């Protein structure tokens, strides 16, 4: 009686059983490569999901999809891939629970981007985050200038969390509205309160030119102190 399925081809793709050890090795190597690649991509590259969660989704998705579509991919090797990924997931989860340093390496850590209305330059340089992209995130939260922001953090998920000054505590700060920010210039047109366009340092300036005492940059934007409209 003719068989409906060619079971050896279906399950193993006519490969020797020793190939299953190679599958385990390949799965482990690709898991580590995925983890390191997404780690280097930064938090914003995997917004809302942690790096580790993204690796699991990509790895499982690929392992599940290939045997569905390609006849030269056996089901048993795919099952081995699933098993290896789950085992690695358990190992990494256990290690993150045991070691704070390993957890920070895998998941990253929360970084303060704005402190008391000014950029935290050390933290900002660590993140793959452009200034205009960051300003867009703040504008979505109805923020007009940095003087309204007491602290802003980039979370391990890539989300931006913001803590505001009370209305009566709002001071002068760097405008982030495009029309105002794009008016930055090395020439200060009149005496007044200005913010460094690079770091947000806000001070009184005289007409002419000036160098920021914090970051040594020379472009300034006239500061504003409007309260938030919610």
């Amino acid at each position: 009686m003719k068989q409906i399925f060619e079971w050896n081809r279906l399950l193993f793709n006519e490969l020797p059983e020793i190939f299953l050890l190679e599958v385990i090795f390949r799965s482990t190597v690709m898991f580590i490569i995925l983890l390191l690649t997404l780690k280097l991509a930064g938090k914003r590259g995997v917004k809302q999901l942690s790096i580790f969660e993204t690796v699991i989704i990509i790895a499982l998705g690929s392992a599940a999809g290939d045997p569905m579509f390609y006849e030269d991919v056996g089901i048993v090797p795919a099952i081995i891939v699933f098993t290896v990924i789950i085992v690695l997931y358990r190992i990494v989860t256990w290690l993150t629970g045991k070691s704070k340093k390993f957890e920070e390496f895998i998941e990253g850590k929360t970084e303060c981007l704005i402190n008391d209305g000014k950029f935290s330059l050390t933290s900002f340089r660590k993140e793959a985050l452009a200034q205009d992209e960051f300003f867009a995130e703040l504008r979505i939260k109805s923020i007009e200038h940095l003087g309204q922001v007491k602290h802003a953090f980039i979370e391990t998920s890539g989300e931006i969390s913001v803590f505001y000054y009370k209305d009566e505590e709002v001071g002068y700060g760097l405008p982030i509205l495009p029309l105002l920010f794009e008016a930055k210039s090395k020439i200060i047109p009149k005496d007044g309160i200005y913010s460094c366009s690079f770091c947000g340092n806000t001070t009184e300036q005289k007409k002419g030119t000036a160098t920021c005492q914090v970051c040594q940059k020379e472009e300034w934007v006239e500061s504003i102190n409007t309260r938030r409209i919610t």
Side-chain angles (χ1 to χ4, degrees):
M1 183 177 179
K2 188 176 180 181
Q3 290 186 339
I4 297 176
F5 297 113
E6 297 177 35
W7 291 107
N8 187 54
R9 181 183 63 81
L10 179 65
L11 296 177
F12 295 97
N13 192 34
E14 300 178 348
L15 293 169
E17 293 181 5
I18 192 68
F19 179 70
L20 297 181
L21 293 177
E22 185 177 331
V23 171
I24 294 173
F25 176 75
R26 289 179 182 221
S27 301
T28 303
V29 171
M30 292 310 300
F31 181 88
I32 294 171
I33 290 173
L34 273 172
L35 194 61
L36 293 177
T37 301
L38 289 172
K39 172 69 178 176
L40 293 174
K43 296 169 189 172
R44 302 295 293 176
V46 288
K47 185 178 178 182
Q48 294 182 339
L49 289 175
S50 71
I51 291 172
F52 185 44
E53 291 169 336
T54 305
V55 169
I56 295 297
I57 290 171
I58 292 173
L60 290 178
S62 178
D66 288 352
M68 291 180 184
F69 292 102
Y70 303 112
E71 66 174 12
D72 58 344
V73 178
I75 291 177
V76 171
I79 293 173
I80 297 296
V81 171
F82 264 74
T83 304
V84 171
I85 291 171
I86 295 302
V87 170
L88 290 172
Y89 168 78
R90 294 292 186 183
I91 292 172
V92 172
T93 302
W94 181 81
L95 287 173
T96 54
K98 292 293 183 179
S99 171
K100 185 67 176 177
K101 289 184 178 180
F102 186 78
E103 180 184 9
E104 289 180 358
F105 174 75
I106 294 296
E107 300 285 0
K109 62 179 181 179
T110 300
E111 297 284 355
C112 179
L113 298 182
I114 293 180
N115 187 34
D116 292 332
K118 297 181 287 293
F119 286 118
S120 178
L121 294 179
T122 303
S123 298
F124 204 89
R125 290 189 182 111
K126 292 179 183 177
E127 302 299 328
L129 181 63
Q131 189 185 61
D132 56 349
E133 182 185 2
F134 181 54
F135 284 174
E137 291 276 0
L138 297 182
R139 288 194 295 268
I140 289 172
K141 300 177 185 296
S142 302
I143 296 169
E144 294 180 75
H145 62 92
L146 299 190
Q148 297 172 340
V149 181
K150 189 171 186 178
H151 302 295
F153 300 90
I154 183 167
E155 306 293 348
T156 57
S157 64
E159 295 286 343
I160 303 296
S161 57
V162 178
F163 295 84
Y164 305 98
Y165 281 113
K166 295 178 182 178
D167 281 347
E168 59 271 19
E169 296 176 343
V170 170
Y172 282 88
L174 174 67
I176 62 173
L177 300 179
L179 187 62
L180 298 178
F181 182 78
E182 289 168 7
K184 61 184 178 181
S185 173
K186 291 185 177 181
I187 305 299
I188 298 172
K190 61 182 180 180
D191 294 356
I193 299 177
Y194 289 82
S195 298
C196 172
S197 64
F198 184 78
C199 72
N201 179 37
T202 300
T203 57
E204 289 190 22
Q205 298 291 344
K206 299 291 185 181
K207 180 180 179 180
T209 60
T211 300
C212 178
Q213 298 300 309
V214 175
C215 67
Q216 311 307 311
K217 302 295 184 181
E218 299 178 340
E219 286 190 323
W220 299 87
V221 182
E222 188 170 3
S223 306
I224 59 176
N225 66 342
T226 53
R227 296 181 176 183
R228 289 184 63 240
I229 299 175
T230 57

